[in-house]
């Protein structure tokens, strides 16, 4: 245990991995002596960012009478740390905190060695500050001047768009900093809009360089590249030339990195958020796809297909009242801002994680731009300035927000102009937090009519209540529209401000596929819409009505369609959707987002509640699948370079047998009451399966395994698929996790948009593995598929053709998946799948499936 009398150290970094590695390195130098070091790094294990509240907690954690030295990496790390000081409960503790300008690796090593030796705060801070001296002395040639220090260098390096660095001596002997200059051409379809701009800004913030951007095509700028709001004012459109001018220790890396990134379109997933094209789809599918609206078309515009008929509903808005009277002192007003910004950041993070889980990484990327806005140093500095001038926190925030919104709204590019809505949305969230105003809500069933929706509002719409949405403003490419489509909620946008005058309760009808909107329609129009809605609803109702029936293909092959669950609420909707069981309960959701693991009693309660909600249908409880993208804060694991290839899933459970045994005991408890299966994730060797089974038997206790407990494993590692026959004697069933199987087969990390195009479960390489598993298991154990491919209309015929007879999908998709299966002829699917296995690409497979479906519907 470190001596609390010694100086404590806090490492603030955008990357948790980086901070932990720096701490490990420093610990090596301490030769067993202890130092209080806390890490406040990353928004979670894998998400880059800094959080003022976490930094404050870290300072409090290691702070004692001797004080604290804080080491920070770049950009907003410094800003967040300054905010953290404002948040300290004990303001006298603030005087015992030194923010060190030292680089984190060298600085931490020097500071840790000094602190371990009992040095004072001043001595530790001085050690950290001088940490670069030895290296600088060693590397500096007698004739060379030190780089990066203003006044000593006078050269300008240039980098062309191809990334080649040249050096141009300019104004030799003049006191200017070395600058590196490069130019790139914007290749993104919509220019440097919110997402690519947010990517650019966050990359710049992660480097130790001061970077300015200029739009050479329009002459606008220069603007600091670490401010999203300022970068937006460049109005950088496709084909514009942007000059990058950097100075500081990492100037060259900054310019080269931005040029490379620009060449990769800032990793924007081309097409991922675009509307799907209609042309190639067979008629059965095309009715489900939205029509593409041109941006020059005037509203109302179709944005998410489907018919909605119902009374107009408004968001019940609580107007935000800005306090004008007496305000607190500037320090406490600024502290309010810091707390609200930190709170909204956390909320957005949660929505982002949920969106990523439910809708995919590309949709979740929408929220990255929002997070970047909340760390905008220019905006925060402006708010701080207003507060220092005597304005209260809400009024300062509102005034700054209005100014930024005005700048964005004045941009001439319509696509960028629409992003003013994002600024407004995030800003309002902070204002609500500052003033305590409650969020707007839809209170009764009907068609929501409102100005615009934030992505968070669109993601959080209660689909049971909101049958459709009309937006006065907004666009077909807005984030709200993308999310409405993903959630199957009919939407028309750009309907004009007059719709806001429609009285609450007035009957309105919309067709989100054509953009039609009628208020108080005459009987003829209403009749037409009712017919159209009737046809659509009939199809869905038929699907739902039949959802409880056995699912049998045209040629009499039976299927089970189960549901993937994360909670008791999911179980209720699964039952209502006609799920035949729960094919995958992601038990880790009970373990995530809390500071301690649920004990056995709590787990038993949850599993029994899920089983009860499923009304006696079989429930497959997957054991804890954490690690990788789902770290548990209370299960600290060693630093891993590649967490997805590390201690995750079953590997982590076998490493923590006590935790694992407790979960298995809770599962056995559930299995003694109702039909239950247990399933092990991420198995790659037979040894792991045998070890897991052994712990299961121990957990079952003296009465032995519950009679009806079925034991299975997920097949999501290619090696497990390839040697599947060795696992089968120890199993009752296997379930193929196509999400991970695809990730590992294609070597494409599932959350990484830059490699999203590789992650395709219809890749013939993945299909060959599924085929192998299905053949080997045939007649021995059941084979299910529980990855996302199980609900994809074009993947289902292939899976069926490869012999899969059980699919497990999100609860809402159950009726549709059952309907899809009933349309299939398994014999034809089988023949088609054999061809699919021989094809070269997933696109070829899709064409083959589409051809088969078109023929079948002809
Ligand atoms: C899978 O990998 O396909 C799967 C269903 O598990 P998860 O998505 O929870 O990793
Ligand atoms: Mg998985």
């Amino acid at each position: 245990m470190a001596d609390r009398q010694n100086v404590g150290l806090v490492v603030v970094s955008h990357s948790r991995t980086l901070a932990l590695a720096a701490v490990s390195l420093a610990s090596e130098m301490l030769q067993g002596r202890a130092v209080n070091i806390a890490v406040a790094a990353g928004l979670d294990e894998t998400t880059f960012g800094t959080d003022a509240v976490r930094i404050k907690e870290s300072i409090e954690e290691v702070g004692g009478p001797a004080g604290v030295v804080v080491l920070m990496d770049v950009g907003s790390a410094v800003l967040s740390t300054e905010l953290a000081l404002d948040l300290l409960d004990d303001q006298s503790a603030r005087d015992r905190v030194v923010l060190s300008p030292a680089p984190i690796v060298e600085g931490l090593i020097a500071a840790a060695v000094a602190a371990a030796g009992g040095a004072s705060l001043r001595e530790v801070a001085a050690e950290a500050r001088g940490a670069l001296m030895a290296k600088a002395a060693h590397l500096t040639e007698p004739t060379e001047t030190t780089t990066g220090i203003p006044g000593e260098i006078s050269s300008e390096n240039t980098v062309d768009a191809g990334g080649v660095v040249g050096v141009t001596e300019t104004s030799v002997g003049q006191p200017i900093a070395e600058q590196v200059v490069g130019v790139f051409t914007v290749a993104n379809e919509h220019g440097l809009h919110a997402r690519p701009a947010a990517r650019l800004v966050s990359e710049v913030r992660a480097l130790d360089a001061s970077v300015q951007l200029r739009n050479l095509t329009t002459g606008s700028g220069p603007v600091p590249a670490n401010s999203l709001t300022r970068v937006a004012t460049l109005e950088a459109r496709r084909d514009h030339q942007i000059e990058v001018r950097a100075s500081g220790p990492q100037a060259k890396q900054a310019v080269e990195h931005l040029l490379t990134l620009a060449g990769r379109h800032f990793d924007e997933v081309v097409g991922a958020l675009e509307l799907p094209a209609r042309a190639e789809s067979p008629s059965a599918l095309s009715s489900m796809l939205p029509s593409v609206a041109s941006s020059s078309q005037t509203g109302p515009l179709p944005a998410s297909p489907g018919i909605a008929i119902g009374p107009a509903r408004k968001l019940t808005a609580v107007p935000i009242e800005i306090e004008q009277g007496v305000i607190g002192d500037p320090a406490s007003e600024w502290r309010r801002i810091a707390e609200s910004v930190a709170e909204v950041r956390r909320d957005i993070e949660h929505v982002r994680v949920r969106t990523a889980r439910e809708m995919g990484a590309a949709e979740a990327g929408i929220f990255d731009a929002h997070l970047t806005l909340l760390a905008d140093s220019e905006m925060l500095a402006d708010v701080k300035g207003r507060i220092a001038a005597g304005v209260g926190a809400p009024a300062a925030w509102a005034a700054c927000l209005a100014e930024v919104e005005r700048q964005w709204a004045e941009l001439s590019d319509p696509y960028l102009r629409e992003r003013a809505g994002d600024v407004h949305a995030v800003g309002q969230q902070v204002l609500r937090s500052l003033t305590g105003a409650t969020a707007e809500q839809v209170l009764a069933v009907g068609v929501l009519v409102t100005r615009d929706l934030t992505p968070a509002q669109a993601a959080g719409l209660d689909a049971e209540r909101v049958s459709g949405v009309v937006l006065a403003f907004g666009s077909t490419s807005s984030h709200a529209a993308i999310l409405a489509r993903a959630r199957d909620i009919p939407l028309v946008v750009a309907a004009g401000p007059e719709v806001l005058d429609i009285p609450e309760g007035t009957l309105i009808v919309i067709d989100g596929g054509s953009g039609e909107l009628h208020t108080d329609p005459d009987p003829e129009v209403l009749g037409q819409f009712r017919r159209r809605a009737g046809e659509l609803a009939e199809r869905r109702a038929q699907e739902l009505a039949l959802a409880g029936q056995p699912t049998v293909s045209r040629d009499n092959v039976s299927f089970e369609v189960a549901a993937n669950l994360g909670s008791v609420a999911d179980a209720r909707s699964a039952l209502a959707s006609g799920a035949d069981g729960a094919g995958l309960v992601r038990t880790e959701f009970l373990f995530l987002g809390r500071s301690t693991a649920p004990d056995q009693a709590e787990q038993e309660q949850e599993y029994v509640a899920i089983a009860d909600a499923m009304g006696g249908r079989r429930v497959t409880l997957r054991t804890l699948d954490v690690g990788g993208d789902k770290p548990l804060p209370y299960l600290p694991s060693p630093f891993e370079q590649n967490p997805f290839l590390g201690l995750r899933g079953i590997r982590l459970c076998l490493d923590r047998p006590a935790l694992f045994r407790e979960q298995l005991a809770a599962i056995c408890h559930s299995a003694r009451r109702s039909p239950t299966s247990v399933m092990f994730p991420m198995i790659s060797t037979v040894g792991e399966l045998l070890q897991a089974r052994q712990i299961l038997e121990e957990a079952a206790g003296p009465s032995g395994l519950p009679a009806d407990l079925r034991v299975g494993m997920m097949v999501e590692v290619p090696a497990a698929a390839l040697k599947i026959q060795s696992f089968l004697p120890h199993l009752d069933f296997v379930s193929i996790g196509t999400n991970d199987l695809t990730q590992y087969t294609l070597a494409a990390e599932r959350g990484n948009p830059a490699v999203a195009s590789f992650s395709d479960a219809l890749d013939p390489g993945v299909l060959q593995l599924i085929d192998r598993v299905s053949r080997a298991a045939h007649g021995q154990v059941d084979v299910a598929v529980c990855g996302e491919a199980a609900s994809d209309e074009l993947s289902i015929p292939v899976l069926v053709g490869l012999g899969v007879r059980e699919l497990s999908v999100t609860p809402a998709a159950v009726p549709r998946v059952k309907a899809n299966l009933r349309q299939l002829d398994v014999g034809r699917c089988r023949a088609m799948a054999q061809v699919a296995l021989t094809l070269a690409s997933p696109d070829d497979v899709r064409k083959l499936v589409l051809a088969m479906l078109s023929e079948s519907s002809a």
Side-chain angles (χ1 to χ4, degrees), residues 421-433:
D422 289 349
V423 179
H424 179 82
V426 180
Q428 291 294 309
Q429 256 176 288
V430 175
L431 262 187
R432 277 183 203 290
S433 158

Side-chain angles (χ1 to χ4, degrees), residues 469-484:
V469 179
V470 176
L471 296 183
F473 304 101
S475 73
T476 55
S477 60
S478 74
H479 300 140
I482 292 163
L483 295 173

Side-chain angles (χ1 to χ4, degrees), residues 618 671-678 705-711 732:
R618 180 164 287 275
R672 291 194 182 98
R673 297 177 81 256
S674 50
T676 302
S677 301
V678 61
L705 283 187
D708 192 29
L709 180 69
R710 302 183 72 221
V711 180
D732 299 313

Side-chain angles (χ1 to χ4, degrees), residues 458-469:
L461 282 179
D462 178 357
E464 299 283 309
R465 221 175 253 181
V466 179
S467 59
V469 179

Side-chain angles (χ1 to χ4, degrees), residues 622 625 648 716 740 750:
R622 177 175 73 183
D625 184 14
R648 71 166 284 214
E716 37 190 2
D740 277 316
R750 57 197 269 188

Side-chain angles (χ1 to χ4, degrees), residues 320-578:
I320 304 178
E321 281 182 25
I322 312 278
E323 313 143 35
Q324 302 292 353
V326 182
I327 62 152
D329 64 280
S332 50
E333 290 301 295
W334 177 243
R335 190 183 159 112
R336 288 175 68 191
I337 297 280
E339 278 168 353
S340 293
V341 166
E343 181 189 313
V344 172
R345 277 190 77 86
R346 270 197 303 275
D347 287 352
I348 294 177
E349 261 308 318
H350 281 133
V351 179
R352 198 180 72 89
V353 169
R354 206 178 106 199
T355 307
R357 211 168 63 219
E358 292 174 4
M359 297 170 199
E363 283 82 357
I366 292 164
F367 298 103
D368 290 337
H370 288 195
L371 290 169
T372 312
L373 275 169
L374 284 176
D376 195 303
S377 49
E378 296 263 321
M379 219 173 136
L380 292 173
D382 180 15
V383 174
K384 200 170 192 174
R386 288 172 198 264
I387 287 176
V391 181
W397 182 268
C400 170
L401 182 66
E403 177 60 21
V404 176
E405 275 186 61
R406 189 189 57 72
Q407 283 169 11
W408 281 55
E410 277 174 4
L411 300 176
S412 55
D413 181 334
Y415 190 87
L416 284 173
R417 219 167 36 229
E418 280 159 11
R419 303 278 84 80
D422 289 349
V423 179
H424 179 82
V426 180
Q428 291 294 309
Q429 256 176 288
V430 175
L431 262 187
R432 277 183 203 290
S433 158
L434 279 169
T435 58
T438 52
E440 300 165 309
Q441 281 177 352
V442 182
L443 297 178
V445 174
V447 178
L448 170 63
V449 182
T450 188
R451 187 179 187 280
D452 203 350
L453 284 179
T454 65
Q457 284 171 319
L461 282 179
D462 178 357
E464 299 283 309
R465 221 175 253 181
V466 179
S467 59
V469 179
V470 176
L471 296 183
F473 304 101
S475 73
T476 55
S477 60
S478 74
H479 300 140
I482 292 163
L483 295 173
R485 284 196 288 276
R487 302 200 57 209
D488 214 11
I489 298 175
L491 168 70
V492 294
V493 297
E498 53 282 4
V499 295
L500 299 174
D501 298 330
I502 299 172
E504 174 106 14
T506 310
L507 185 67
I508 54 176
V509 294
I510 63 167
D511 182 341
S514 67
E516 283 169 88
L517 159 67
H518 299 272
T519 310
D520 212 358
D522 63 38
E524 197 185 329
V525 172
L526 185 60
Q528 272 172 20
F529 269 77
R530 289 221 161 107
R531 264 193 305 284
R532 271 149 67 182
E535 284 156 19
L536 258 179
E538 202 179 319
R539 200 172 76 207
R540 290 191 185 175
Q542 275 169 2
E543 291 172 357
L544 189 61
L546 291 174
Q549 305 286 318
T551 310
V552 182
S553 70
R554 283 185 182 180
D555 50 349
N556 267 330
V557 178
S558 295
F559 293 92
E560 295 270 305
V561 181
N564 294 346
L565 316 178
S567 65
V568 180
D570 286 352
R572 287 194 201 103
S573 56
L575 191 68
S577 303

